[in-house]
Amino acid sequence: MSGAEDGATPAASTAPDDSAAPGAPRAAGRRRGRPAGSGAERGPATRERILETARALFAERGYEKTSVRAIARGAEVDQALVHHYFGTKEGLFSAAVAVTAGPVAERIAALGPLDPGRIGEEFTRAFLRVWEDPATRTPLLAVVRSALTHETAARIFREFIAGQLLSRLAGALPAEDAELRTELAAAQLVGTVLLRYVLRIPPLATTDPDTLVRQLAPVVQHHLTGAPLPTG
Amino acid sequence: MSGAEDGATPAASTAPDDSAAPGAPRAAGRRRGRPAGSGAERGPATRERILETARALFAERGYEKTSVRAIARGAEVDQALVHHYFGTKEGLFSAAVAVTAGPVAERIAALGPLDPGRIGEEFTRAFLRVWEDPATRTPLLAVVRSALTHETAARIFREFIAGQLLSRLAGALPAEDAELRTELAAAQLVGTVLLRYVLRIPPLATTDPDTLVRQLAPVVQHHLTGAPLPTG
DNA sequence: TCCAGTATTCATCGCATGATGAATAAATCG
DNA sequence: CGATTTATTCATCATGCGATGAATACTGGA
């Protein structure tokens, strides 16, 4: 609720949480049993729809405020089907954000040999690109929104910072306090993400990505390598 | 759970959530009715205990995961007493974190005439001081922990950034994009707080404040005024 | 001394939630 | 064809939650 525009995720276009006519059947009036034409390639459609809805809702409201029922409603299936596929709410969350770790880590790995002179800009740009792309933003938002209160989300977050950033970036840097510097750079970027994508506070929330990179890259570079910043 | 060391808040020393013997009375076996000796100065003691417990639990688990019942248990009172004093859970939260806005704003106001040449260091130092002091940290943590999922907390957070920082700091700066610069500086500090005090990821979480100020102040200064950073 | 106010517990309601087990219908495989 | 597996809904449970209203016991003022 209260959110401005909504992402680009098809199902659950803001608020599948309405009361759904008491006494009425759970799902969208569909008949019991396996539906006709659910074989082979059309198979994972429903499951995928549930995952997508879950991602959207977790991203919008965070773990605790998102109910399994709301997800089922948004995906237009019975609540029991969600449990059938994913076991527990926790399992659903893990499955929904599992898509996060892989692609993000890949994009970081794809940065290449990490030229120390341009590492600030390269990393800042790669970071913002994942957040600007709605497909990757949604699961990331789900993790971040939940990270302060839900242990699994917090773990994913921590492992990303510690595992991916600190080990990979700091490993490529010479200085003795490389880990601290890396984490301070991460703090700048995480803080930016928080104000821009999660809390959406203008003007940060409405600044174009290129401007952002221009402002942030030198700072990240400074944190990582101790390089001085240009005047202006 | 999972937390490392715990704050300095007296009541509710991690986990008042145990099952409390089924069938047993709600509060700590106290007798019904007004207790003897609850007049004048001893008056606000219970109420204050509830608030303190609430702060501690909200700070530790966030709004949604903290139940009124757990707070009552931690403060060793009946749940109904909490409602008696604060009406709703929402009201309790507001009362618990009301202590935040005032002191923080005062400390920012107390920064004085804001010498543009030292604004980065002064502000960074003031910011960290509030977070290092356990008395002010607890309610701040309660707000931040809840800010991503709870509307009231988000509002407080937003109003702090927009109302206090952007209007006051940006107002003292000349540049045209002063608001964006201020928000980027805020992003650096907020991100630091998140990794250090909320998620507690080392080495940031264990670095001494002076070192932090040394690393952060020039960056904040750069964001705010465009000043170049020293080599190193 | 009575009475209003206040601090406190007890008992209970209604609701939403996560989860489970059984029923049903189609797909798939032998 | 018949058996098994898979996709789906229905009905239901137990739990924990926020909230309310009444009962009780003390304080303080008229």
Side-chain angles (χ1 to χ4, degrees):
Chain A
M1 60 212 66
S2 88
E5 81 279 66
D6 111 291
T9 32
S13 59
T14 20
D17 46 17
D18 81 87
S19 34
R26 266 95 163 152
R30 243 196 317 288
R31 156 167 134 287
R32 214 189 226 192
R34 182 171 191 164
S38 53
E41 287 317 293
R42 195 240 167 191
T46 304
R47 191 189 152 105
E48 206 44 58
R49 190 155 30 97
I50 295 174
L51 280 176
E52 196 123 348
T53 309
R55 256 173 238 130
L57 289 185
F58 282 137
E60 193 179 312
R61 316 172 180 179
Y63 183 85
E64 356 268 349
K65 282 181 67 171
T66 303
S67 69
V68 174
R69 289 164 137 96
I71 294 171
R73 223 149 33 216
E76 296 183 315
V77 297
D78 189 277
Q79 187 209 170
L81 188 60
V82 179
H83 280 107
H84 168 67
Y85 278 131
F86 305 100
T88 66
K89 182 184 180 184
E90 177 64 36
L92 172 58
F93 182 80
S94 297
V97 302
V99 83
T100 298
V104 173
E106 277 167 30
R107 296 213 202 188
I108 290 182
L111 278 181
L114 289 181
D115 170 5
R118 305 181 30 83
I119 188 174
E121 173 169 353
E122 283 186 18
F123 186 63
T124 303
R125 200 175 288 282
F127 192 85
L128 281 185
R129 206 177 313 127
V130 213
W131 275 94
E132 285 297 317
D133 180 353
T136 43
R137 175 167 62 220
T138 306
L140 282 174
L141 256 184
V143 170
V144 171
R145 259 257 158 69
S146 311
L148 307 196
T149 45
H150 186 60
E151 194 39 52
T152 299
R155 215 198 55 237
I156 294 177
F157 194 98
R158 244 183 258 120
E159 279 170 8
F160 173 72
I161 301 272
Q164 300 292 320
L165 299 192
L166 296 197
S167 75
R168 176 162 168 82
L169 282 189
L173 300 175
E176 200 176 320
D177 50 353
E179 286 205 327
L180 178 59
R181 306 185 84 105
T182 303
E183 206 171 348
L184 287 171
Q188 171 74 76
L189 294 177
V190 166
T192 302
V193 157
L194 211 81
L195 300 186
R196 176 176 172 88
Y197 302 101
V198 185
L199 295 173
R200 301 203 189 94
I201 305 179
L204 223 198
T206 54
T207 301
D208 74 294
D210 285 337
T211 304
L212 270 188
V213 171
R214 220 175 309 126
Q215 303 268 17
L216 289 174
V219 169
V220 172
Q221 177 78 26
H222 166 80
H223 273 311
L224 292 179
T225 68
L229 287 182
T231 313
Chain B
M1 62 213 66
S2 87
E5 81 277 71
D6 114 289
T9 31
S13 60
T14 21
D17 46 17
D18 82 87
S19 35
R26 265 96 165 150
R30 242 195 319 288
R31 157 166 133 287
R32 213 188 227 194
R34 181 171 193 164
S38 52
E41 288 318 292
R42 194 239 168 194
T46 305
R47 191 187 153 106
E48 207 44 57
R49 190 154 30 96
I50 294 174
L51 280 176
E52 195 123 349
T53 308
R55 256 172 238 132
L57 289 185
F58 282 136
E60 192 180 312
R61 315 172 180 179
Y63 184 84
E64 356 269 348
K65 283 181 62 174
T66 303
S67 69
V68 174
R69 289 164 138 93
I71 294 172
R73 224 150 30 218
E76 297 184 313
V77 297
D78 189 277
Q79 186 207 171
L81 188 61
V82 178
H83 284 291
H84 168 67
Y85 277 132
F86 304 101
T88 67
K89 181 185 180 183
E90 178 64 38
L92 171 57
F93 182 80
S94 298
V97 303
V99 84
T100 298
V104 173
E106 277 166 31
R107 296 213 201 187
I108 290 183
L111 278 181
L114 289 182
D115 170 5
R118 306 182 29 84
I119 189 174
E121 174 168 352
E122 282 186 19
F123 186 62
T124 303
R125 199 175 289 283
F127 192 85
L128 281 185
R129 205 177 316 125
V130 213
W131 276 94
E132 285 297 319
D133 179 353
T136 43
R137 174 167 64 219
T138 306
L140 282 174
L141 256 184
V143 170
V144 170
R145 259 256 159 68
S146 311
L148 306 197
T149 45
H150 186 60
E151 195 37 54
T152 299
R155 215 198 55 238
I156 295 178
F157 194 97
R158 243 183 259 120
E159 279 170 9
F160 173 72
I161 301 271
Q164 300 292 320
L165 299 193
L166 296 196
S167 75
R168 175 160 168 84
L169 282 189
L173 300 175
E176 201 175 318
D177 50 354
E179 285 204 330
L180 178 58
R181 306 185 84 104
T182 303
E183 207 172 345
L184 287 171
Q188 171 74 77
L189 293 177
V190 166
T192 302
V193 157
L194 211 80
L195 300 187
R196 176 176 171 89
Y197 302 101
V198 184
L199 295 173
R200 300 201 190 97
I201 305 180
L204 224 199
T206 54
T207 301
D208 74 294
D210 285 336
T211 303
L212 270 188
V213 170
R214 222 175 308 126
Q215 303 269 16
L216 289 175
V219 169
V220 171
Q221 177 78 26
H222 166 78
H223 274 311
L224 293 178
T225 68
L229 287 183
T231 312

